[in-house]
Amino acid sequence: MKTNLSLDLSKTLGMANLEAIRPFAPFAEEALRAVREKSGLGNDYLGWVDLPEAYDATEFRRIGEAAARIQAMADALVVIGIGGSYLGSRSAIDLLGPAFRNELSSSKRSGVRIYYLGHTMSADYVSDFLDVIEGQDICVNVISKSGTTTEPAVAFRMMKAYLEEKYGKEGACERIFATTDADKGALKGLAQKEGYEQFVVPSDVGGRYSVLTAVGLLPMACAGIPIDQVMAGAKAARAHYLSAPFAENPVLQYACARNALARSGKEVELLVSYELRFQYFQEWWKQLYGESEGKDGRGIFPASVIFSTDLHSMGQYIQDGRRMLFETVLRVQKPQRDVKILKDPANLDGLNFLAEKSLHEVNDYAFQGTVIAHNDGGVPNLILQLPQITPEGYGELVYFFELACAVSGYLLGVNPFNQPGVEAYKKNMFALLGKPGYEELAQRLKEKLN
Ligand code: PA5
């Protein structure tokens, strides 16, 4: 299989075209070598690099079997996880569609309904969720690499009691699937004691790089996504992007272009799409880049918008506000389905000039017009072209951005695989909630709060 993504640097206002980024090339190729040979910073978290080739075949088969069982016994799967433990699967399930999958009848949708829990402590969200699952047969996939994260642990405590009440202890056990570390953590201990089926988050794969492990693959399979095709796309990406030289490697070019732009003062990157179904892919991307690069006072700030929707809310700022932005635009060449705009004999809205055009065609003209307008406003655009949204294409896109993130992080001079900053809020929250061992910090925080 060949790769399908292509990167167009011609709309970067000369700040990040091939010529402008060539000085970065030797450093990017060196960074790529460090990733390939696992010799750079954070090299004990590079397990994701080889997943498409080296994924444990037994675990992969068990994922398919568990998904088939879940589909047979449930109307819905509840995915419990936060950050890297849910954004990957949600990105895939939303992107590969259909858009309103939970509302469709089972004959019109492949796989079960998917709900997400454990990514929020909003009491209203959780209460509304409990209303919506009433009367549905459900299974739960609780996902936490550390096994100790508060949000999913609180959600799982609730769902465990709910399932045991509804199906009895043994019935609940059949419906709970735990994805966690192979050896340690509270969830591992709990799963072991209760006898839940378990899947592994490999110890050398960090949360935000874990979508191509059971973390992402089990929910995807339950949603009817052919995960072998997702892995095939990632495999093709790995084969090409991990070794291709700068001139033929859009991963290296993208990593260099965003660093060149940041050094010219464009320190905010907007990931832009023209498809609503990219929303959670963009959330996944923001976590990947934000958590990987935002440290030591450095990092390009990752943000996202969906056009043309957000042109009516954020368009003014992008066109005319502070000039610290660049855009990376995801351009899908062919939609999965299209809609024709009708001719109206009365033409009261004056839109007959659009009659007989397809909606996708109009969307693409919106893209073309916007790129030029934003260029005129001083916003460089990197354009990443995808022929179509497919499971293989999703796998390639994931691998593309993961690898580019690693290379880009090394170019920035940070360790792209740790996240020391995420701990700060947790410690304060535990102290304020009175967790044993946090008394001294609690005292200091109370003084600050008063
Ligand atoms: O990328 C990361 O490491 C984090 O976003 C984690 O995925 C997130 O905090 C959830 O952690 P865990 O899977 O340990 O519950």
Side-chain angles (χ1 to χ4, degrees), residues 82-85 143-147 149 152 207-208 287 291 419 426:
I82 194 165
S85 288
I143 308 169
S144 176
K145 183 180 180 192
S146 63
T149 307
R208 59 189 175 276
Q287 187 203 355
E291 238 176 46
Q419 56 282 335
K426 289 188 196 166

Side-chain angles (χ1 to χ4, degrees), residues 80-87 118 143-153 179-180 187 201 205-210 215 287-288 291-292 417-419 422-423 425-426:
I80 298 180
I82 194 165
S85 288
Y86 95 106
L87 284 170
I143 308 169
S144 176
K145 183 180 180 192
S146 63
T148 55
T149 307
T150 311
E151 291 88 340
T179 306
T180 189
L187 179 57
V201 192
V205 179
R208 59 189 175 276
Y209 290 87
S210 68
V215 172
Q287 187 203 355
L288 181 63
E291 238 176 46
S292 299
F417 307 114
N418 64 5
Q419 56 282 335
V422 180
E423 293 309 309
Y425 101 89
K426 289 188 196 166

Side-chain angles (χ1 to χ4, degrees), residues 397-417:
L397 209 50
V398 160
Y399 201 85
F400 173 90
F401 278 120
E402 287 182 344
L403 189 55
C405 185
V407 171
S408 183
Y410 282 161
L411 288 178
L412 272 169
V414 299
N415 174 355
F417 307 114

